[in-house]
Amino acid sequence: MLVGTECRRQIQSVKSMIRRHHSLPREMGTSVTVLQLCMQEPESTWVRQSANRVLREGGNEQSVVFCDGDPGSWNRCGVGAMQGHLGDVCSVCFSPCGNWIASGSDDGTIRLWNVETGEEHPQGPMKGESGEVGSVVFSRDGKLIASGSNDETVRVWSVDAMEELPAVVLRKHAGTVWAVDFSPDSRWIVSGSSDYTVRIWNAETGEEHSNSPFCGHSASVNSVSFSPCGSWVASCAGQYDEDDNTIRLWNVETGQEHSQSPLHGHQAWVSSVCFSPDGKWIASGSYDETIRLWNVETMEQAMAPSRGHSDTVWDVTFSPNGKWISSSSSDNTVRIWNTETGDEHSLGPLRKHTNVVGSVAFSPNGRWIASASDDHSVLLWDMEILEDTHAQDGDSSSDESESEHLSTALAAHNPDWAEGASQPNRIQTDRYIITAESATVKIYDVISGEEDSKLRASFFASSHVSAVSSDGDRVLAGCATGEVEQLRAPFLLTA
């Protein structure tokens, strides 16, 4: 019976195997695998207690993403899901303290999520009079949330009271408000709209700035961002039937556009723009599937565009230290880019969402990335755990390369193992090589490479055995149906 450290190691082994082969359905992740494994442990273990708590609070194998941590944890293996919205989640942001995530959806609500537990705020969602919520942002002091909507308004919400401030409903836009941002001192709100304008409002009184609106774009304004000093606003524009495709900088005090503005370079409409924490750079994402970095001093591109997404880049954001840019896309992925080189992070694309990822945000401490998707969910990615796991998987790959000679012996007994042929999922223990082929787990002797027919196990209830792992005294087979089969000792000791 596996408990404590051994159980944690086995769970990690299963997850690593599944991630490496990408063989289970992505929408399922390893939620079913881990929860079912936890439920088979003794009642006295923390693993079982964690699973019991999840089920007691109304969770199930389909709704829980991960539960393999200390009691009460919910995203210990690197990613957790926050579900509750009834429509596409269009925008996501962290509170300045990093304890809360706000999300806005086309179901007309704003929801707050506890980063530590993944649970929604006990006072439930905030909802205005009407309209889909396309953008949300916390004030820098964390007391307010501003939102933009297709009802052509900007609304302001009290975080403490969890309700709208009716005196601060900003109604001068003549189109959908796609983007909002707070000034560094939390006094002002900037908004961008499909009416081609950028407007600035007093967050306390709702009055428009004397220099507002800023006019110059010839298409929908899709994103806005205050500079860290508060003196400048960046905006970007474009839409299907217009050719603006520009980034513009506006002086807040004068209302004038920067003398070297607009910035040209994107080959299609620009969907997102963001200042770096030090104010020296601007990142942008576009329908042309690229991320670009601009030098604010020279008003020129800093390097070649970053490419990797296979569809529209909807959002970009800087990490707090300015070393990374995170992006979200219609290709259902989140990606991370090095701001010095433009190269993608070694983690590669973060894949868990099953639909367009429209918004992404870094936590204030840089450890977390939140992403919002048309699959109605918000996902929270733990970069520390993901990077550690990625490093462990790299070590496993090295171990596998050291035993490549075993493939030669296996090829003599199984044509599927021949060079150039598709190879089944496999792992190696001290005594055996264990494979998953079709609906069968087969076990081969390490020395001879021969299959031991006595140790073959067929899973007739499963459509396909897609991943196996072992901790020496049991084998786990993850199936495409989401089921997990376990083969225990003395099964592996009968040879």
mmCIF file of all heavy atoms in Angstrom, residues 28 30-32 35 54-55 59-67 74 83:
data_model
loop_
_atom_site.group_PDB
_atom_site.id
_atom_site.type_symbol
_atom_site.label_atom_id
_atom_site.label_comp_id
_atom_site.label_asym_id
_atom_site.label_seq_id
_atom_site.Cartn_x
_atom_site.Cartn_y
_atom_site.Cartn_z
ATOM 1 N N MET A 28 -9.719 16.589 -20.222
ATOM 2 C CA MET A 28 -9.792 15.789 -19.017
ATOM 3 C C MET A 28 -8.555 15.950 -18.163
ATOM 4 O O MET A 28 -8.587 15.832 -16.959
ATOM 5 C CB MET A 28 -9.941 14.325 -19.430
ATOM 6 C CG MET A 28 -10.584 13.450 -18.397
ATOM 7 S SD MET A 28 -11.190 11.966 -19.175
ATOM 8 C CE MET A 28 -12.922 12.171 -18.899
ATOM 9 N N THR A 30 -5.498 15.312 -16.030
ATOM 10 C CA THR A 30 -5.279 14.146 -15.182
ATOM 11 C C THR A 30 -6.218 14.152 -13.993
ATOM 12 O O THR A 30 -5.961 13.525 -12.991
ATOM 13 C CB THR A 30 -3.824 14.110 -14.682
ATOM 14 O OG1 THR A 30 -3.588 15.276 -13.896
ATOM 15 C CG2 THR A 30 -2.854 14.040 -15.824
ATOM 16 N N SER A 31 -7.323 14.919 -14.102
ATOM 17 C CA SER A 31 -8.216 15.052 -12.956
ATOM 18 C C SER A 31 -8.774 13.708 -12.518
ATOM 19 O O SER A 31 -8.749 13.363 -11.340
ATOM 20 C CB SER A 31 -9.354 16.005 -13.299
ATOM 21 O OG SER A 31 -10.062 15.548 -14.431
ATOM 22 N N VAL A 32 -9.292 12.925 -13.482
ATOM 23 C CA VAL A 32 -9.879 11.643 -13.129
ATOM 24 C C VAL A 32 -8.804 10.704 -12.588
ATOM 25 O O VAL A 32 -8.992 10.028 -11.581
ATOM 26 C CB VAL A 32 -10.559 11.016 -14.367
ATOM 27 C CG1 VAL A 32 -11.108 9.653 -14.010
ATOM 28 C CG2 VAL A 32 -11.674 11.925 -14.846
ATOM 29 N N LEU A 35 -7.725 11.867 -8.898
ATOM 30 C CA LEU A 35 -8.777 11.740 -7.897
ATOM 31 C C LEU A 35 -9.092 10.272 -7.621
ATOM 32 O O LEU A 35 -9.253 9.854 -6.477
ATOM 33 C CB LEU A 35 -10.037 12.477 -8.337
ATOM 34 C CG LEU A 35 -11.151 12.525 -7.291
ATOM 35 C CD1 LEU A 35 -10.657 13.191 -6.014
ATOM 36 C CD2 LEU A 35 -12.369 13.243 -7.819
ATOM 37 N N VAL A 54 -12.887 17.120 -1.237
ATOM 38 C CA VAL A 54 -13.343 17.570 -2.551
ATOM 39 C C VAL A 54 -14.749 17.051 -2.836
ATOM 40 O O VAL A 54 -15.638 17.795 -3.260
ATOM 41 C CB VAL A 54 -12.364 17.106 -3.641
ATOM 42 C CG1 VAL A 54 -12.961 17.308 -5.016
ATOM 43 C CG2 VAL A 54 -11.048 17.858 -3.516
ATOM 44 N N LEU A 55 -14.970 15.767 -2.598
ATOM 45 C CA LEU A 55 -16.274 15.177 -2.874
ATOM 46 C C LEU A 55 -17.329 15.684 -1.895
ATOM 47 O O LEU A 55 -18.486 15.901 -2.268
ATOM 48 C CB LEU A 55 -16.178 13.649 -2.805
ATOM 49 C CG LEU A 55 -15.277 13.025 -3.873
ATOM 50 C CD1 LEU A 55 -15.184 11.520 -3.667
ATOM 51 C CD2 LEU A 55 -15.804 13.324 -5.263
ATOM 52 N N GLY A 59 -17.623 18.402 -5.226
ATOM 53 C CA GLY A 59 -16.828 18.149 -6.411
ATOM 54 C C GLY A 59 -16.995 16.720 -6.893
ATOM 55 O O GLY A 59 -17.578 15.873 -6.226
ATOM 56 N N ASN A 60 -16.503 16.459 -8.088
ATOM 57 C CA ASN A 60 -16.512 15.107 -8.622
ATOM 58 C C ASN A 60 -15.329 14.949 -9.563
ATOM 59 O O ASN A 60 -14.545 15.863 -9.746
ATOM 60 C CB ASN A 60 -17.831 14.807 -9.346
ATOM 61 C CG ASN A 60 -18.128 15.836 -10.428
ATOM 62 O OD1 ASN A 60 -17.288 16.129 -11.265
ATOM 63 N ND2 ASN A 60 -19.335 16.388 -10.397
ATOM 64 N N GLU A 61 -15.230 13.776 -10.165
ATOM 65 C CA GLU A 61 -14.078 13.500 -11.014
ATOM 66 C C GLU A 61 -13.998 14.450 -12.197
ATOM 67 O O GLU A 61 -12.929 14.711 -12.719
ATOM 68 C CB GLU A 61 -14.126 12.047 -11.520
ATOM 69 C CG GLU A 61 -13.857 11.006 -10.446
ATOM 70 C CD GLU A 61 -15.126 10.568 -9.752
ATOM 71 O OE1 GLU A 61 -16.118 11.313 -9.819
ATOM 72 O OE2 GLU A 61 -15.128 9.491 -9.140
ATOM 73 N N GLN A 62 -15.138 14.948 -12.656
ATOM 74 C CA GLN A 62 -15.121 15.812 -13.818
ATOM 75 C C GLN A 62 -14.842 17.271 -13.444
ATOM 76 O O GLN A 62 -14.285 18.015 -14.224
ATOM 77 C CB GLN A 62 -16.467 15.741 -14.557
ATOM 78 C CG GLN A 62 -16.630 14.456 -15.378
ATOM 79 C CD GLN A 62 -16.776 13.214 -14.510
ATOM 80 O OE1 GLN A 62 -17.512 13.238 -13.544
ATOM 81 N NE2 GLN A 62 -16.078 12.155 -14.860
ATOM 82 N N SER A 63 -15.245 17.703 -12.245
ATOM 83 C CA SER A 63 -15.121 19.116 -11.890
ATOM 84 C C SER A 63 -13.813 19.444 -11.198
ATOM 85 O O SER A 63 -13.415 20.590 -11.153
ATOM 86 C CB SER A 63 -16.272 19.536 -10.975
ATOM 87 O OG SER A 63 -16.209 18.846 -9.743
ATOM 88 N N VAL A 64 -13.148 18.463 -10.624
ATOM 89 C CA VAL A 64 -11.902 18.715 -9.900
ATOM 90 C C VAL A 64 -10.734 18.526 -10.854
ATOM 91 O O VAL A 64 -10.666 17.540 -11.570
ATOM 92 C CB VAL A 64 -11.762 17.761 -8.699
ATOM 93 C CG1 VAL A 64 -10.433 17.997 -8.015
ATOM 94 C CG2 VAL A 64 -12.918 17.976 -7.747
ATOM 95 N N VAL A 65 -9.829 19.481 -10.848
ATOM 96 C CA VAL A 65 -8.686 19.360 -11.743
ATOM 97 C C VAL A 65 -7.561 18.586 -11.079
ATOM 98 O O VAL A 65 -7.125 17.569 -11.568
ATOM 99 C CB VAL A 65 -8.197 20.759 -12.175
ATOM 100 C CG1 VAL A 65 -6.971 20.630 -13.058
ATOM 101 C CG2 VAL A 65 -9.312 21.459 -12.931
ATOM 102 N N PHE A 66 -7.113 19.010 -9.918
ATOM 103 C CA PHE A 66 -6.034 18.304 -9.239
ATOM 104 C C PHE A 66 -6.264 18.310 -7.739
ATOM 105 O O PHE A 66 -6.747 19.288 -7.191
ATOM 106 C CB PHE A 66 -4.689 18.952 -9.544
ATOM 107 C CG PHE A 66 -4.321 18.917 -10.988
ATOM 108 C CD1 PHE A 66 -4.210 20.083 -11.706
ATOM 109 C CD2 PHE A 66 -4.116 17.721 -11.633
ATOM 110 C CE1 PHE A 66 -3.879 20.054 -13.048
ATOM 111 C CE2 PHE A 66 -3.783 17.681 -12.965
ATOM 112 C CZ PHE A 66 -3.661 18.846 -13.672
ATOM 113 N N CYS A 67 -5.888 17.249 -7.071
ATOM 114 C CA CYS A 67 -6.073 17.205 -5.618
ATOM 115 C C CYS A 67 -4.895 16.531 -4.927
ATOM 116 O O CYS A 67 -5.036 16.044 -3.838
ATOM 117 C CB CYS A 67 -7.365 16.462 -5.272
ATOM 118 S SG CYS A 67 -7.359 14.748 -5.786
ATOM 119 N N TRP A 74 -5.521 22.859 -4.183
ATOM 120 C CA TRP A 74 -6.380 22.567 -5.338
ATOM 121 C C TRP A 74 -5.630 22.676 -6.651
ATOM 122 O O TRP A 74 -6.153 22.345 -7.695
ATOM 123 C CB TRP A 74 -7.568 23.528 -5.365
ATOM 124 C CG TRP A 74 -7.175 24.954 -5.604
ATOM 125 C CD1 TRP A 74 -6.565 25.783 -4.720
ATOM 126 C CD2 TRP A 74 -7.334 25.687 -6.811
ATOM 127 N NE1 TRP A 74 -6.329 27.002 -5.301
ATOM 128 C CE2 TRP A 74 -6.803 26.980 -6.584
ATOM 129 C CE3 TRP A 74 -7.874 25.396 -8.067
ATOM 130 C CZ2 TRP A 74 -6.799 27.961 -7.547
ATOM 131 C CZ3 TRP A 74 -7.875 26.385 -9.025
ATOM 132 C CH2 TRP A 74 -7.349 27.654 -8.771
ATOM 133 N N GLN A 83 -14.380 27.554 -12.211
ATOM 134 C CA GLN A 83 -15.539 27.426 -13.092
ATOM 135 C C GLN A 83 -16.794 27.915 -12.383
ATOM 136 O O GLN A 83 -17.004 27.623 -11.214
ATOM 137 C CB GLN A 83 -15.696 25.979 -13.556
ATOM 138 C CG GLN A 83 -14.518 25.499 -14.398
ATOM 139 C CD GLN A 83 -14.617 24.034 -14.762
ATOM 140 O OE1 GLN A 83 -15.026 23.225 -13.949
ATOM 141 N NE2 GLN A 83 -14.228 23.700 -15.984
#
